[in-house]
């Protein structure tokens, strides 16, 4: 259902995980206005859910949007083809950051691992040289990728920059730092959360602690986590503080998001258990139907009745095709 943003943030999210940063549009767009943004780059744009929001904003604000993605979905390609304010850059973030003009705002939402995010931040800082950092916005700075890498294509990363991945050994659950059978399927995520050089928020925090200059990091714990990082010397630092300060790691929001991802993971565990039960039920039904067709079972049924009549077996121990038909519902 289109909300205040004028579009449906679940358009490409039929299971309603809430995985697009577009879910945070009402918080994100005022940040662009506060920073007086003229050029905004979105690193990782997928199907263009957020890009659509950014493009509508850019049209009204007289700004431009660069959507950087090495593997854009067709919806994003169509969006770019029909927009004069949107440019689609089919590159990885690191390749693109080496050549595009340095934007006023960079939205980091591509390959959610320590190595890539640390590299993106270093590239942005390097490009800026002595100038102030752009306003940096992040997705996935809460569970599951705050402290757990995910690899779009692990083979593109140096071997020592990757953690062992989950594969099909189990899924992700907020109560479990390792893997849990039936939990959320993230086969390309690290098999274990936590520790050094693991996760998006870890990369952001390490960048902050190594940066010469005062930075402010705000984390809004909603829809997998929305982060904002800026230099406190920026003329718009007060406006950003007004927008995000009261949301920053607010305990009620943290609890709400914690509950949301818990319910999401539990639903998956229970759905997986339900599918396993259904498979077993289908196997049992096939066996019972074979018994119904079996002449040997017909003989067993007659023998069973004779034993009851002879008083050798109790009535409730007797087996019959009628009982099997009743259980099968026909
Ligand atoms: C989570 S999706 C982006 C969602 C989008 N920002 C939104 O909010 O609707 C991640 C995207 O990052 C892209 N991606 C993966 N590796 C990347 C990289 N190194 N640089 C840029 N984008 C990358 C993937 O192709 C994918 O489309």
């Amino acid at each position: 259902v289109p909300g205040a943003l004028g579009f449906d943030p679940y358009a490409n999210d039929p299971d309603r995980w809430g995985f697009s940063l577009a879910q945070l549009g009402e918080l994100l767009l005022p940040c662009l206005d506060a920073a007086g943004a003229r050029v905004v780059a979105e690193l990782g744009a997928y199907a263009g859910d957020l890009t659509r929001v950014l493009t509508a904003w850019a049209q009204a604000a007289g700004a431009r949007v660069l959507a950087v993605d090495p593997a854009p979905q067709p919806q994003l390609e169509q969006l770019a083809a029909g927009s004069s304010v949107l440019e689609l850059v089919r590159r990885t973030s690191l390749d693109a950051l080496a050549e595009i003009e340095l934007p006023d705002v960079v939205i980091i939402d591509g390959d959610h691992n320590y190595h890539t995010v640390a590299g993106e931040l270093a590239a942005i800082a390097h490009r800026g040289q002595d100038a102030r950092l752009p306003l940096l916005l992040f997705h996935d700075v809460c569970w599951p990728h705050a402290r757990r890498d995910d690899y779009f294509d692990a083979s593109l990363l140096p071997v020592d920059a990757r953690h062992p991945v989950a594969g099909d050994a189990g899924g992700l659950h907020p109560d479990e730092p390792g893997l849990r059978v039936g939990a959320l399927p993230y086969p390309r995520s690290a098999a274990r959360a936590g520790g050094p050089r693991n996760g998006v928020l870890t990369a952001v925090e390490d960048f902050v602690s190594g940066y010469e200059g005062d930075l402010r990091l705000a984390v809004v714990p909603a829809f997998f986590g929305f982060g904002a990082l800026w230099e406190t010397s920026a003329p718009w630092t007060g406006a950003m503080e007004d927008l995000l300060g009261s949301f920053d790691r607010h305990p009620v929001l943290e609890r709400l998001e914690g509950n949301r991802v818990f319910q999401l993971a539990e639903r998956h565990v229970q759905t997986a258990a339900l599918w396993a039960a259904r498979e077993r039920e289908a196997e049992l039904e096939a066996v019972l139907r074979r018994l119904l067709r079996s002449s040997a079972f017909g003989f067993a049924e007659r023998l069973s009745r004779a034993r009851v009549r002879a008083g050798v077996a109790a009535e409730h121990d007797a087996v019959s095709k009628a009982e099997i038909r009743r259980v099968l519902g026909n």
Side-chain angles (χ1 to χ4, degrees):
V1 179
L5 293 168
F7 87 108
D8 179 3
Y10 295 108
N12 295 300
D13 180 10
D15 290 335
R16 297 197 169 219
W17 282 35
F19 57 57
S20 173
L21 194 44
Q23 297 282 358
L24 289 137
E26 289 90 344
L27 277 182
L28 187 149
L29 294 184
C31 296
L32 308 185
D33 289 326
R38 286 288 150 267
V39 182
V40 176
E42 181 188 9
L43 309 182
Y46 187 59
D49 295 287
L50 176 66
T51 324
R52 194 176 300 279
V53 178
L54 296 174
T55 305
W57 166 85
Q59 227 137 19
R64 287 186 298 118
V65 177
L66 305 173
V68 176
D69 201 307
Q73 298 296 302
Q75 299 94 313
L76 175 59
E77 290 173 327
Q78 279 161 21
L79 184 68
S83 171
S84 57
V85 297
L86 170 63
E87 185 188 336
L88 174 58
V89 182
R90 288 170 193 270
R91 312 292 298 265
T92 65
S93 53
L94 290 180
D95 286 350
L97 283 169
E99 52 194 50
I100 59 173
E101 62 193 297
L102 193 61
D104 306 305
V105 178
V106 183
I107 302 170
I108 296 185
D109 191 18
D111 201 6
H112 296 96
N113 56 71
Y114 183 97
H115 178 82
T116 303
V117 175
E120 289 165 342
L121 289 170
I124 292 165
H126 176 72
R127 280 289 307 274
Q129 306 240 328
D130 296 332
R132 193 178 295 124
L133 279 180
L135 169 61
L136 300 170
L137 303 177
F138 303 88
H139 197 203
D140 295 289
V141 287
C142 290
W143 192 88
H145 297 315
R147 307 293 180 200
R148 190 193 288 255
D149 276 1
D150 186 80
Y151 309 104
F152 178 66
D153 180 351
S155 71
L156 300 177
L157 269 62
V159 175
D160 62 356
R162 336 170 192 147
H163 297 267
V165 295
D168 56 9
L172 272 48
H173 191 290
D175 283 358
E176 169 62 64
L179 302 171
R180 185 174 291 185
V181 172
L184 296 175
Y186 279 93
R188 300 183 300 192
S189 286
R192 197 151 194 94
R197 304 180 68 84
N198 198 4
V200 174
L201 185 59
T202 309
V204 177
E205 288 171 346
D206 285 359
F207 174 77
V208 171
S209 51
Y211 192 77
E212 285 178 22
D214 287 334
L215 297 176
R216 167 80 165 101
L217 170 66
V219 174
V220 181
F223 290 108
F224 304 114
F226 169 52
L229 182 67
W230 68 91
E231 297 206 41
T232 53
S233 61
W236 32 264
T237 186
M240 285 296 293
E241 197 62 51
D242 289 348
L243 284 169
L244 299 182
S246 56
F247 293 105
D248 183 17
R249 290 163 263 210
H250 194 291
V252 173
L253 283 183
E254 279 180 345
R255 205 153 50 241
L256 199 60
E257 174 66 358
N259 185 277
R260 190 185 77 86
V261 293
F262 176 84
Q263 302 299 342
L264 203 60
E266 281 295 304
R267 182 181 73 179
H268 207 275
V269 169
Q270 285 165 17
T271 307
L274 188 67
W275 280 109
R278 285 206 180 139
E279 267 176 34
R280 188 164 159 67
E281 191 184 301
E283 279 173 24
L284 288 172
E285 182 173 336
V287 170
L288 290 176
R289 289 200 184 285
R290 269 211 318 279
L291 278 181
L292 279 181
R293 291 193 302 272
S294 147
S295 52
F297 184 71
F299 176 72
E301 182 182 18
R302 287 195 294 281
L303 183 64
S304 173
R305 266 197 240 114
R307 283 166 57 83
V308 171
R309 277 198 304 275
V312 192
E315 181 78 42
H316 62 258
D317 285 334
V319 286
S320 74
K321 290 196 177 185
E323 190 181 10
I324 293 178
R325 280 194 203 93
R326 184 179 60 74
V327 168
L328 288 173
N330 54 25

